[in-house]
Each structure stands twice: as structure tokens, then as C-alpha cells.
């Protein structure tokens, strides 16, 4: 079994209103010195070993987990001994 | 300058309808062998070196970036030479 972690973030240059809002909320609560806040998606899941090839995971990301027009993605995989 | 990465996920046992929906959508597109999909938030931001203490980041997470009732968080920090 493989544990897959996918990180989806907005591409550089794409406006991130959610990030801006969180940054302002932090500032309003007195947390200073925070800049360039970007908010994205984090997904964790398990895959059968045979299914967990790079091409398969990239296809999943590009077809469903991330929007290739405005988002970048990266992923990490981790062998899981018993699940 | 410090780059901070925050990962927010639902606590074990908390129902994740979004994760379920994504898992089913993947299956519908022919991606087999995916299980226990959990969808969370991923945040990246920069902090002034002096402000980026562990206690400060934990306070930010517990007060704003994560909902401590239903979510867990973890974070990583990375020295950034020039920003």
C-alpha cells in the first residue's frame, strides 16, 4: 500500500483573494510580519501498490485534483507497510 | 525571512464528505485502488525571522488557520535567504 500526499497551490501570478483575506485576518489579530500568504489544497489518500505509478498519479492530479489552468501540484508517496 | 508551510487536515474520525466525493469522482473516471481520501488545507507564507517563533505559529494555527475542534495541523519552516 502507498500513501500519497498531494499539494495544490495557485500558480504564481494568479490572484489569491483567500490568501489575502487570511493575511489580513492574522494582522487584525496582532500577528505581524506575515506576507505572501497562499492558500491551497492538501490531499492524503492510500493507493494499491500496483496502481500507484507516477503516470497514474499525475493523471489523477491533472484530470481531477488540480485545475491545470490556474493551479500547480506536487505530490509525495510513502510506502505503508500495513493498512 | 522564513517560509512557513501549514498542513490542516480533519481529525481522525471526523467525517470527510469532500474526501468521499473526490474518491468517488476518481473511481468514476477509472482510477481504481484509491482509499481513505482526506482533503485539507495547505498554506504557504513568509514571516519576518523575529516573528516566526514556534509559539507564534502555533497561536496563528490555533486561533485562525485551523479549527482545533475538528482539525489537526502541522507546519514546517524553512530559512529563506533573500526575499
Amino acid at each position: 500500500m502507498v500513501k500519497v500526499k498531494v499539494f495544490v497551490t495557485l500558480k504564481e501570478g494568479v490572484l489569491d483573494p483567500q490568501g489575502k483575506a487570511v493575511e489580513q485576518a492574522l494582522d487584525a489579530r496582532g500577528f505581524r510580519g506575515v506576507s505572501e500568504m497562499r492558500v491551497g489544497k492538501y490531499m492524503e489518500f492510500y493507493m494499491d501498490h500496483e496502481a500507484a505509478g507516477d503516470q497514474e498519479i499525475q493523471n489523477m492530479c491533472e484530470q481531477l485534483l488540480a485545475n491545470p489552468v490556474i493551479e500547480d501540484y506536487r505530490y509525495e508517496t510513502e510506502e505503508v507497510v500495513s493498512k
Side-chain angles (χ1 to χ4, degrees), chain A residues 38-77:
Chain A
R38 308 281 287 176
V39 177
K41 287 174 283 192
Y42 170 65
M43 287 164 267
E44 277 180 13
F45 54 94
Y46 293 89
M47 279 185 92
D48 299 338
H49 201 272
E50 313 71 48
D54 276 319
Q55 192 55 59
E56 182 86 346
I57 297 172
Q58 283 162 22
N59 289 343
M60 289 165 67
C61 289
E62 282 158 22
Q63 288 180 34
L64 201 87
L65 304 182
N67 175 347
V69 175
I70 60 167
E71 291 174 331
D72 288 323
Y73 70 87
R74 62 184 178 83
Y75 63 91
E76 296 166 5
T77 56

Side-chain angles (χ1 to χ4, degrees), chain A residues 16-28 34 37-39:
Chain A
D16 184 355
Q18 191 178 3
K20 261 293 156 251
V22 173
E23 199 172 304
Q24 285 159 1
L26 285 168
D27 192 66
V34 173
M37 168 73 76
R38 308 281 287 176
V39 177

Side-chain angles (χ1 to χ4, degrees), chain A residues 4-29:
Chain A
V4 183
K5 297 177 183 175
V6 175
F7 309 88
V8 178
T9 50
L10 288 168
K11 286 185 190 285
E12 286 289 326
V14 174
L15 197 64
D16 184 355
Q18 191 178 3
K20 261 293 156 251
V22 173
E23 199 172 304
Q24 285 159 1
L26 285 168
D27 192 66
R29 281 176 180 253

